[in-house]
């Protein structure tokens, strides 16, 4: 305690210890100490001097304190805890960078809206230093993939790998494009390199599954796709590819479950909608197939494959005019797709427009000269038009290309001189 503390004792009498006579011959003894007693302090006289008020300012105490200037001006929006947004662009930001960001944003927006041509146009307007990047080439590959232009898709995604060799995003599209092109050598190299780089990447296991699927090892491919699902449970494309393999094994219930799981993860994943529609088309549930193909086409209106399958579904439902419209849209969207023109010829034959059907089949034969079904159908159309010599030639071509169906083709050759009888007339 301090000496001048207010709790010090004021008029306290100090008790003297008793005196003891000392013996000169006795050894010295230590006197015990008593409790320490504080001596009272006399009260001090009241002081007339007042202490100065504390001042933290650098100015004298006589001048009033100045309020420190705020670094950020207080506005109505800053009082609420956030800075106001301004429409004007800061003058310090270069205009070239803003142009690049605007182009990249417009390309990404157009791709999300399925405007692939506009997205490609925006990407090609980028400067070379920004166009030759992994992100831009990945976006370019996705645009070509949505258009089913697999050669251009492979070129773009290979450029992406050259720009960024360690980039794994986009390899699932590259492997699927190589699967469509039946390039097993490049696909095997891609799958092995991707799994070696990152065995915990879903894109790597999707590439491995596509590689095994191309070699007709569907069970092993399903295991790879399940591994991709295990490392990334929210990767919707792995569920879709797994569903495709279940369809190849004719396990339709498991395929439907996979497609529906992909749709729950991504409602705009049109590949899953297409997969469900294809299953219902094979099961001859044409109403359900039409619904699913229409939903997939609303998400990707530029897909020739979706237009083709929807036209085939309309044809099965006896809606020939709607079928012909969609099949012609599919042929216009992808001129190198012979399937759309072949189905268009089938619709024209059912509408008794044999001359137009023959023109479509001739165009298909130019793209697929070794397809026996095309020559067989051309022989039947030539017979309808009365061109028996051309019909015999087409039947012979079909017999040489497909010896397995020799009974069907030989019976058509034997009945070449006889008039055709429809199934209704036979019944």
């Amino acid at each position: 305690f301090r000496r001048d503390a207010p709790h010090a004792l004021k008029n306290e009498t100090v008790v003297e210890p008793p005196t003891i006579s000392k013996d000169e011959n006795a050894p010295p003894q230590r006197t015990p100490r008593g409790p320490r007693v504080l001596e009272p302090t006399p009260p001090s006289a009241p002081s007339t001097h007042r202490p100065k008020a504390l001042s933290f300012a650098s100015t004298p105490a006589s001048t009033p304190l100045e309020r420190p200037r705020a670094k950020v001006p207080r506005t109505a929006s800053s009082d609420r805890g956030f800075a106001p947004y301004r429409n004007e662009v800061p003058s310090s930001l270069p205009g070239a960078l803003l142009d690049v960001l605007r182009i990249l944003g417009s390309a990404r927006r157009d791709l999300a809206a399925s405007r692939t041509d506009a997205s490609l146009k925006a990407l090609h307007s980028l400067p070379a230093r920004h166009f030759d990047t992994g992100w831009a080439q990945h976006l370019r590959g996705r645009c070509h993939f949505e258009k089913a232009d697999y050669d251009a898709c492979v070129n773009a995604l290979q450029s992406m790998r050259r720009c960024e060799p360690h980039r794994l995003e986009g390899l699932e599209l590259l492997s699927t494009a190589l699967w469509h092109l039946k390039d097993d050598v490049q696909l095997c190299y891609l799958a092995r390199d991707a799994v070696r780089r990152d065995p915990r990447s879903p894109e790597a296991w999707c590439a491995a599954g596509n590689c095994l699927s191309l070699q007709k090892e569907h069970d092993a491919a399903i295991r790879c796709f399940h591994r991709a699902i295990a490392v990334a449970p929210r990767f919707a494309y792995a569920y879709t590819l797994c569903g495709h393999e279940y369809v190849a094994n004719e396990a339709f219930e498991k395929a439907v479950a996979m497609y529906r799981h992909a749709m729950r993860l991504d409602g705009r994943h049109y590949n899953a909608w297409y997969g469900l529609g294809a299953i219902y088309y094979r099961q001859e549930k044409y109403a359900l197939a039409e619904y699913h193909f229409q939903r997939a086409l609303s998400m990707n209106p530029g897909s020739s494959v979706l237009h083709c399958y929807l036209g085939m579904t309309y044809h099965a439902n006896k809606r020939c005019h709607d079928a012909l419209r969609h099949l012609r849209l599919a042929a216009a969207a992808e001129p190198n797709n012979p399937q759309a023109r072949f189905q268009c010829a089938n619709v024209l034959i059912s509408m008794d427009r044999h001359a137009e059907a023959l023109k479509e089949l001739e165009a298909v034969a130019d793209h697929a000269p070794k397809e026996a079904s095309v020559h067989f159908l051309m022989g039947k159309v030539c017979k309808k038009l009365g061109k028996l010599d051309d019909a015999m030639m087409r039947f012979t071509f079909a017999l040489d290309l497909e010896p397995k169906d020799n009974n069907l083709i030989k019976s058509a050759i034997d009945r070449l001189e006889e008039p055709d009888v429809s199934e209704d007339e036979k019944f």
Side-chain angles (χ1 to χ4, degrees):
F1 296 100
R2 289 168 48 194
R3 297 246 176 185
D4 54 351
H7 61 271
L9 298 178
K10 296 283 177 141
N11 296 318
E12 185 178 359
T13 59
V14 181
V15 180
E16 295 282 344
T19 60
I20 300 174
S21 61
K22 296 182 181 180
D23 190 0
E24 297 179 356
N25 296 326
Q29 295 181 359
R30 296 180 61 183
T31 58
R33 290 186 178 181
R36 185 177 180 181
V37 181
L38 299 177
E39 296 180 357
T41 56
S44 59
S47 176
T48 59
H49 177 71
R50 287 187 177 183
K52 295 182 179 180
L54 295 177
S55 174
F56 297 96
S58 59
T59 58
S62 60
T63 59
L65 294 176
E66 294 183 0
R67 189 174 183 177
R69 185 174 299 175
K71 296 182 179 179
V72 180
R74 297 178 59 84
T75 58
S77 55
S78 62
D79 291 341
R80 292 191 295 268
F82 57 91
Y85 293 98
R86 297 184 179 180
N87 295 327
E88 65 270 15
V89 179
S91 59
S92 60
L93 195 62
L97 178 59
L98 289 180
D99 292 338
V100 171
L101 293 177
R102 177 182 54 80
I103 294 172
L104 293 175
S106 62
R108 185 66 181 85
R109 178 200 58 199
D110 291 334
L111 178 60
S114 299
R115 296 191 295 267
T116 54
D117 293 331
S119 181
L120 287 172
K121 184 178 179 181
L123 287 174
H124 283 285
S125 65
L126 283 171
R129 59 188 299 182
H130 298 289
F131 182 75
D132 296 330
T133 57
W135 192 90
Q137 294 300 318
H138 179 207
L139 204 64
R140 175 172 161 243
R142 283 187 59 188
C143 291
H144 289 297
F145 186 84
E146 302 295 338
K147 296 176 63 177
D149 189 358
Y150 299 117
D151 290 317
C153 175
V154 169
N155 292 332
L157 294 178
Q158 292 286 13
S159 300
M160 176 198 73
R161 297 197 71 203
R162 285 192 296 270
C163 296
E164 298 181 14
H166 299 284
R167 184 186 180 96
L168 296 178
E169 186 180 0
L171 294 190
E172 74 281 3
L173 302 181
L174 178 57
S175 62
T176 305
L178 291 172
W179 185 92
H180 283 286
L181 296 176
K182 310 300 180 185
D183 193 348
D184 53 349
V185 177
Q186 290 292 330
L187 185 53
C188 289
Y189 172 75
L190 175 68
R192 183 175 180 180
D193 183 68
V195 174
R196 179 182 61 84
R197 288 183 184 276
D198 188 3
R200 295 187 177 182
S201 170
E203 293 87 358
W205 289 107
C206 286
N210 282 328
C211 178
L212 294 170
S213 175
L214 187 58
Q215 299 172 7
K216 307 299 180 183
E217 299 181 10
H218 300 295
D219 294 332
I222 288 173
R223 288 195 294 270
C224 288
F225 293 134
H226 276 290
R227 184 66 179 271
I229 292 170
V231 298
R234 300 194 63 81
F235 192 63
Y237 196 58
Y239 293 93
T240 302
L241 292 176
C242 190
H244 292 340
E245 295 306 310
Y246 279 127
V247 170
N249 281 345
E250 296 185 356
F252 297 119
E253 293 182 359
K254 295 181 179 179
V256 168
M258 285 293 169
Y259 290 141
R260 286 177 176 170
H261 203 121
M263 290 160 56
R264 283 194 294 269
L265 293 175
D266 185 3
R268 292 188 57 82
H269 189 57
Y270 71 91
N271 306 83
W273 290 94
Y274 157 75
L276 276 176
I279 290 176
Y280 292 135
Y281 181 82
R282 292 183 61 174
Q283 294 176 348
E284 297 184 359
K285 299 177 181 179
Y286 298 122
L288 289 174
E290 178 183 341
Y291 169 74
H292 286 84
F293 286 140
Q294 286 177 347
R295 288 294 302 270
L297 196 60
S298 66
M299 302 168 194
N300 187 10
S303 175
S304 62
V305 177
L306 294 176
H307 279 290
C308 183
Y309 271 90
L310 184 58
M312 293 164 57
T313 307
Y314 281 142
H315 185 210
N317 285 333
K318 307 299 181 182
R319 297 169 58 180
C320 295
H321 292 284
D322 293 334
L324 193 61
R325 177 169 56 87
H326 281 280
L327 289 170
R328 284 179 172 170
L329 286 174
E334 190 179 355
N336 295 327
N337 183 11
Q339 178 69 14
R341 308 197 75 168
F342 181 76
Q343 297 297 332
C344 186
N346 280 325
V347 176
L348 290 171
I349 290 171
S350 64
M351 297 173 67
D352 294 331
R353 296 162 62 175
H354 298 98
E356 299 179 26
L358 185 59
K359 291 181 180 179
E360 295 289 342
L361 289 172
E362 288 174 352
V364 174
D366 293 338
H367 286 90
K370 295 184 179 181
E371 191 66 37
S373 59
V374 176
H375 292 284
F376 181 72
L377 190 58
M378 289 179 70
K380 293 176 68 175
V381 173
C382 289
K383 182 182 176 182
K384 289 281 188 181
L385 294 174
K387 301 177 181 180
L388 300 181
D389 295 336
D390 293 339
M392 177 61 74
M393 181 182 65
R394 295 297 176 180
F395 286 145
T396 306
F397 286 164
L399 187 61
D400 294 338
L401 293 172
E402 194 65 37
K404 297 180 182 179
D405 296 336
N406 52 2
N407 295 328
L408 179 63
I409 299 173
K410 285 181 179 179
S411 63
I413 293 174
D414 294 338
R415 291 184 288 105
L416 187 61
E417 301 291 337
E418 300 177 3
D420 290 334
V421 180
S422 62
E423 296 296 330
D424 294 336
E425 293 176 356
K426 287 181 181 179
F427 180 74

